[in-house]
């Protein structure tokens, strides 16, 4: 496994793999502090592609001024050891200057889809995400790039960007990996103490309540949201940021769930830590078999 810090080196390695060796490249962008959620993306990439490239880059452009860019967990030594165990071929771990050199002035923004949910709660977040992903896709030029359903809105935006700007990569979205308690794995779970970590299981319990009510025939978004809120409010350590039900493709806010799949998403503070999670209702059964949101 080679660790690459320079974008020029990453570009030339990737070009050689594609052109001279004719190998397919799978790419998994991450911010490091790796957990089993990231590893499932890598597992999928390993199964589908000849060569796996993982980037580890805490992207300053996607953090707001009052957010946790400085506190975000970083441990490239531990991450590299895990990636080597998972037979990753290349780790791309650039510095901030390598991605945003002096004079950097170009940003990519996906309009419309970025305005609601996480975009409303975190202004400029998605502009930072789509900009860095555009740069990384141009550096690595993968055949496939892997993203988690954990960040459902992010995955939709990236698909939109890749389609609109004619990137050649195919985007693969991988189901949410959860701890035994149901808590969706996240690097930010590192911020939680034991009591908070136990409390954080309420996010998945609340989404499951919506799933059960949906299965029992409830189709009113307001009633499903109320059920999720009531469940979250039973946990004294939880403070709701938002709970929303939107069309799973267009993100249009729904009043009633009809034939199309609906995304139930939420953001909740546990102490100072902001956690997100989601479930898709009314999706095709074959996705359930694949383990989505299990
Ligand atoms: P991050 O390092 O948090 O930026 O995440 C890198 C990628 O891993 C993103 O595509 C995330 O959606 C994905 N990811 C993070 N947590 C999970 C999880 N629990 N299950 C599946 N994918 C995840």
């Amino acid at each position: 496994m080679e660790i690459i810090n320079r974008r020029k080196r990453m570009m030339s390695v990737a070009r050689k793999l594609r052109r001279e060796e004719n190998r397919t490249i799978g790419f998994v962008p991450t911010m490091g502090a790796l957990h089993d959620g990231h590893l499932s993306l890598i597992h999928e990439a390993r199964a589908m592609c000849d060569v796996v490239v993982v980037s580890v880059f805490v992207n300053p452009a996607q953090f707001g001024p009052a957010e946790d860019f400085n506190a975000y967990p970083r441990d490239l030594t531990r991450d590299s050891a895990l990636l080597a165990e998972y037979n990753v071929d290349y780790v791309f771990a650039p510095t901030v200057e390598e991605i945003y050199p002096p004079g950097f002035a170009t940003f990519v923004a996906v309009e419309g889809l970025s305005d609601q949910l996480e975009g409303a709660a975190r202004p400029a977040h998605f502009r930072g995400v789509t900009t860095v992903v555009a740069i990384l896709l141009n550096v690595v030029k993968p055949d496939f790039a892997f993203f988690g359903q954990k960040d459902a809105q992010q995955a939709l935006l990236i698909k939109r960007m890749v389609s609109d700007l004619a990137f050649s990569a195919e985007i693969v979205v991988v189901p949410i990996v959860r701890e035994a308690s149901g808590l969706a794995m996240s690097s930010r779970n590192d911020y939680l103490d034991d009591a908070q970590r136990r409390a954080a299981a309420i996010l998945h319990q609340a989404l499951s309540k919506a799933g059960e009510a949906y299965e029992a025939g409830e189709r009113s978004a307001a009633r499903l949201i109320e059920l999720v809120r009531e469940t979250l409010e039973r946990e004294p350590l939880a403070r709701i940021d938002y709970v929303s039900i939107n069309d799973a493709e267009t993100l249009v806010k729904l009043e009633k769930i009809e034939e199309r799949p609906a995304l139930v998403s939420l953001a909740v503070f546990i102490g100072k830590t902001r956690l997100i999670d989601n479930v898709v209702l009314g999706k095709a059964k074959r996705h359930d078999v694949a383990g989505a949101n299990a």
Side-chain angles (χ1 to χ4, degrees):
M1 186 179 85
E2 180 182 341
I3 301 176
I4 297 175
N5 303 117
R6 299 272 175 205
R7 68 153 105 174
K8 276 220 167 98
R9 166 81 189 149
M10 187 70 248
M11 285 171 105
S12 75
V13 164
R15 195 180 307 121
K16 185 161 180 284
L17 288 165
R18 272 190 318 274
R19 290 200 187 152
E20 293 171 25
E21 302 178 20
N22 204 19
R23 298 211 278 167
T24 55
I25 301 177
F27 176 49
V28 181
T30 82
M31 298 207 299
L34 301 178
H35 51 68
D36 285 352
H38 298 114
L39 297 179
S40 88
L41 269 59
I42 292 164
H43 185 78
E44 198 71 23
R46 189 71 286 165
M48 286 176 66
C49 306
D50 299 328
V51 177
V52 177
V53 179
V54 175
S55 64
V56 175
F57 179 64
V58 184
N59 174 32
Q62 70 188 69
F63 288 79
E67 292 182 359
D68 56 343
F69 174 67
N70 288 321
Y72 199 84
R74 292 164 172 89
D75 190 347
L76 189 58
T77 310
R78 175 186 167 276
D79 287 345
S80 305
L82 270 173
L83 294 172
E85 251 178 63
Y86 268 71
N87 292 326
V88 164
D89 300 284
Y90 296 94
V91 180
F92 181 44
T95 59
V96 171
E97 293 70 33
E98 196 60 29
I99 295 296
Y100 303 110
F104 185 94
T106 308
F107 291 85
V108 180
V110 176
E111 295 184 358
L113 283 177
S114 314
D115 297 342
Q116 55 279 66
L117 304 173
E118 285 301 282
R122 304 179 67 191
H125 168 66
F126 283 128
R127 177 185 190 253
V129 170
T130 41
T131 299
V132 82
V133 172
I135 297 167
L136 293 170
L137 290 177
N138 277 332
V139 170
V140 179
K141 291 211 170 63
D143 296 276
F144 296 93
F146 298 81
F147 292 86
Q149 174 63 17
K150 162 85 189 333
D151 299 280
Q153 188 178 11
Q154 168 175 288
L156 281 178
L157 280 159
I158 304 250
K159 282 201 215 163
R160 186 77 256 160
M161 175 187 80
V162 160
S163 164
D164 289 352
L165 299 185
F167 282 88
S168 57
E170 191 170 312
I171 303 303
V172 180
V173 181
V174 177
I176 301 177
V177 176
R178 300 180 178 282
E179 296 185 357
S181 69
L183 174 62
M185 295 208 176
S186 164
S187 306
R188 289 195 168 92
N189 294 350
D190 289 2
Y191 298 144
L192 304 172
D193 65 26
D194 289 348
Q196 290 173 331
R197 191 173 272 262
R198 280 194 298 276
I202 199 73
L203 275 73
H204 181 243
Q205 286 164 24
L207 290 170
S208 302
K209 284 264 190 276
E212 286 160 21
Y214 175 82
E215 288 302 325
E218 183 59 81
R219 294 292 181 271
S220 152
R223 281 203 289 275
L224 289 166
I225 288 173
E226 197 41 44
L227 203 58
V228 173
R229 285 185 158 273
E230 275 170 21
T231 311
L232 291 168
E233 279 160 7
R234 271 189 247 132
E235 172 48 64
L237 297 183
R239 184 166 59 80
I240 299 170
D241 188 356
Y242 67 78
V243 179
S244 188
I245 301 189
N246 303 64
D247 183 284
E249 291 294 325
T250 64
L251 294 187
V252 168
K253 219 176 196 128
L254 297 178
E255 284 180 12
K256 198 161 190 275
I257 302 178
E258 292 176 296
E259 306 87 61
R260 293 164 56 78
L263 176 73
V264 186
S265 63
L266 49 76
V268 172
F269 284 94
I270 303 284
K272 290 201 174 99
T273 305
R274 185 174 180 279
L275 301 175
I276 60 170
D277 201 347
N278 69 79
V279 67
V280 178
L281 303 179
K283 61 188 183 295
K285 281 288 179 225
R286 63 196 162 82
H287 291 302
D288 295 340
V289 174
N293 303 307

